[in-house]
Amino acid sequence: MTLFQVEVRGRGLWIVVDDEAQRVEFAVTRVVEATTATEAAQLALRIVQEDRRAASAPGHSAPQLTVDVVQPTDSLPDPQPGFRFYADPP
């Protein structure tokens, strides 16, 4: 098994700020153990999908997730890096 660093991006995440739903994007890096880069990407996507921070506000669709980068790494961060949120362009 190999450690992989996987960058996941989410588009179309709806969060509530000051009682108003706003659409944002996010990026998050996850380090996972897998046998192949493809397996690592799938595992990282599943981890992000299950994270409550990647869940849209009630009544809104789930964000679209994509994998930007998958690369081998030598270390496992403790703790895993957090989500980076930014404005979702129209």
Side-chain angles (χ1 to χ4, degrees):
M1 296 284 255
T2 303
L3 286 177
F4 290 91
Q5 181 174 315
V6 183
E7 174 90 11
V8 177
R9 293 205 177 264
R11 184 155 197 234
L13 173 67
W14 289 91
I15 61 172
V16 176
V17 177
D18 295 331
D19 296 326
E20 183 178 324
Q22 297 180 11
R23 187 176 157 150
V24 298
E25 292 187 9
F26 67 86
V28 64
T29 301
R30 290 290 169 254
V31 176
V32 298
E33 191 174 32
T35 55
T36 66
T38 300
E39 181 184 327
Q42 293 170 347
L43 179 57
L45 283 171
R46 187 168 51 246
I47 290 168
V48 173
Q49 287 171 334
E50 293 173 356
D51 193 308
R52 63 176 176 76
R53 293 170 289 185
S56 280
H60 295 279
S61 59
Q64 296 176 326
L65 301 178
T66 57
V67 172
D68 279 355
V69 178
V70 179
Q71 61 189 21
T73 185
D74 293 330
S75 61
L76 181 65
D78 186 34
Q80 292 272 8
F83 280 64
R84 299 173 308 279
F85 295 96
Y86 47 96
D88 192 355

